[in-house]
Amino acid sequence: MKKIRWGVLSTARIGTEKVIPAMQLGEYCTITAIASRQLKKSQTAAGQLGIEKAYGSYEELLADPDIDAVYIPLPNHLHVPWAIKALNAGKHVLCEKPIGLSTAEAQKLLSVARKFPRLKIMEAFMYRHHPQWQWAKQWVVQGKIGEAQTIQSFFSYYNADPDNIRNKADVGGGGLMDIGCYCISLSRFILGTEPRRVCGIMEDDPMMKVDRLTSGILEFSRSTSTFTCATQLVPYQRVNIFGTKGRIEIEIPFNAPSDQPCKVWYRDSNKVEEIVLDACNQYTIQGDLFSRAVLEDREVPVPLEDAVENMQVIKALISSARSRKWVNLKKGTTT
């Protein structure tokens, strides 16, 4: 059975420690090459990970005819430029979230991608492919919790290092772009629709000028979603989905461990049911699903349009926080 030959643009930790080892376990993936702007870095990573080729520039990797697809774990401000270069080089693209720095950037990438209908491109929201989220979505759609009314999510970690890429404002750092994007994405995924208006509150780090504590309210036509994300709090994550007849609670919603089972709970007025899902690697699943879409020439699990919609909500929340007003999504106006 054929495998997709992958190249990786950058030696970022998310790639070398999480995504690459996971994709190397996949049925449909083989990591053929890795690139860095410093050849020594890519050679070191290639040696550690058993990757055949190491390049000293991203351009060299994109010029390699033996590469079918590229995974892009570059800093946020480089996502769209290098995704476009990869498409122009004839490569399929799996790009880390968030897809860009602005709605305009995301729409630009979408416009370019539509010029290459045979090439696949997807934002790498790995959580969506984990069985716990597929289970939660199915139960909501089947009405197991009644009518879904509201979702509450929380995601935090502690990182006050000014040299860390997540804390650099000029390259798209900050909590909302890094982890708040998950809270937005999951609400849209579970509810199956887009919010009508949003309200955001942000607290910025006074020195680094990135948001370190952000809360948001998303108002949908028949439901709501509230979340808080933080980059200078004790690490924690949890999601609750509330319906008229029951509630779903997801214990480790985002970075689910690959070496132990995951637990979710269904609760109603009469009982608590614990569902234990077998250990799996959501990065492996993501890589295989994308690779199969390429091999079988079918749609990727999540279309790029979804990434554009998520970015629209992110930017609306930022606008709301700055103006201290609600922002209407369709009109882009404040109230």
Side-chain angles (χ1 to χ4, degrees):
M1 184 176 292
K2 184 181 177 183
K3 292 188 175 185
I4 294 301
R5 300 167 298 180
W6 285 85
V8 181
L9 299 187
S10 120
T11 55
R13 286 179 59 187
I14 181 64
T16 58
E17 295 183 7
K18 297 287 187 180
V19 182
I20 294 173
M23 290 179 68
Q24 288 175 321
L25 299 174
E27 291 184 58
Y28 306 97
C29 307
T30 182
I31 307 298
T32 302
I34 187 167
S36 171
R37 288 171 172 166
Q38 299 177 41
L39 180 58
K40 187 175 181 179
K41 280 189 175 182
S42 61
Q43 289 174 332
T44 299
Q48 292 173 342
L49 294 163
I51 298 172
E52 178 186 353
K53 300 178 183 180
Y55 289 111
S57 73
Y58 306 142
E59 290 87 352
E60 287 179 273
L61 187 148
L62 293 181
D64 186 341
D66 293 330
I67 301 297
D68 304 310
V70 295
Y71 164 62
I72 302 177
L74 290 164
N76 295 343
H77 70 300
L78 298 176
H79 287 177
V80 168
W82 281 101
I84 290 174
K85 290 179 181 180
L87 290 170
N88 283 321
K91 313 299 185 187
H92 305 281
V93 178
L94 177 65
C95 183
E96 269 303 332
K97 55 76 202 166
I99 202 64
L101 295 184
S102 66
T103 304
E105 259 203 339
Q107 289 175 331
K108 178 182 178 180
L109 178 58
L110 179 61
S111 297
V112 172
R114 285 173 174 168
K115 298 177 182 178
F116 301 94
R118 293 192 63 82
L119 293 178
K120 313 301 179 185
I121 182 169
M122 188 174 79
E123 186 177 29
F125 265 124
M126 77 297 181
Y127 84 93
R128 279 199 185 186
H129 314 296
H130 194 286
Q132 65 181 356
W133 280 102
Q134 296 297 314
W135 175 89
K137 175 70 172 180
Q138 183 180 34
W139 273 47
V140 170
V141 169
Q142 292 177 351
K144 295 291 184 68
I145 64 170
E147 184 177 356
Q149 293 286 286
T150 192
I151 299 173
Q152 294 180 349
S153 55
F154 195 99
F155 196 3
S156 64
Y157 61 76
Y158 195 94
N159 180 353
D161 179 7
D163 295 323
N164 189 281
I165 196 72
R166 293 174 178 83
N167 287 322
K168 294 185 180 296
D170 58 339
V171 297
L176 182 60
M177 294 285 272
D178 188 39
I179 54 177
C181 59
Y182 286 98
C183 302
I184 297 165
S185 174
L186 75 88
S187 300
R188 298 173 46 255
F189 172 59
I190 291 296
L191 297 173
T193 186
E194 300 300 325
R196 298 190 304 182
R197 63 175 187 158
V198 301
C199 180
I201 301 173
M202 283 181 159
E203 178 188 279
D204 290 344
D205 183 282
M207 300 298 294
M208 297 182 290
K209 306 301 181 183
V210 294
D211 65 292
R212 62 184 181 186
L213 178 64
T214 294
S215 295
I217 304 172
L218 281 59
E219 181 186 86
F220 296 82
S221 59
R222 297 174 60 86
S223 52
T224 63
S225 173
T226 59
F227 74 89
T228 292
C229 65
T231 60
Q232 293 181 29
L233 286 183
V234 60
Y236 183 72
Q237 55 183 279
R238 193 61 59 98
V239 169
N240 277 280
I241 305 167
F242 297 86
T244 53
K245 297 180 180 179
R247 172 170 69 89
I248 291 171
E249 182 175 355
I250 303 179
E251 182 183 26
I252 310 176
F254 306 115
N255 55 357
S258 60
D259 58 351
Q260 65 186 59
C262 286
K263 296 178 182 179
V264 297
W265 294 277
Y266 168 74
R267 304 170 188 262
D268 62 20
S269 58
N270 299 315
K271 66 179 184 298
V272 176
E273 181 179 352
E274 182 177 271
I275 294 90
V276 179
L277 298 155
D278 292 339
C280 66
N281 193 311
Q282 56 194 357
Y283 293 108
T284 303
I285 296 171
Q286 175 180 253
D288 270 350
L289 288 173
F290 187 97
S291 295
R292 286 190 64 185
V294 175
L295 290 168
E296 299 168 13
D297 192 21
R298 56 183 173 83
E299 295 297 319
V300 294
V302 184
L304 190 59
E305 287 82 356
D306 184 87
V308 176
E309 295 284 357
N310 215 60
M311 184 55 64
Q312 287 179 335
V313 181
I314 291 172
K315 301 313 289 186
L317 282 164
I318 294 173
S319 176
S320 171
R322 302 309 182 212
S323 67
R324 299 183 179 274
K325 297 179 179 179
W326 284 84
V327 171
N328 297 309
L329 264 296
K330 297 303 180 183
K331 298 178 181 179
T333 56
T334 59
T335 57

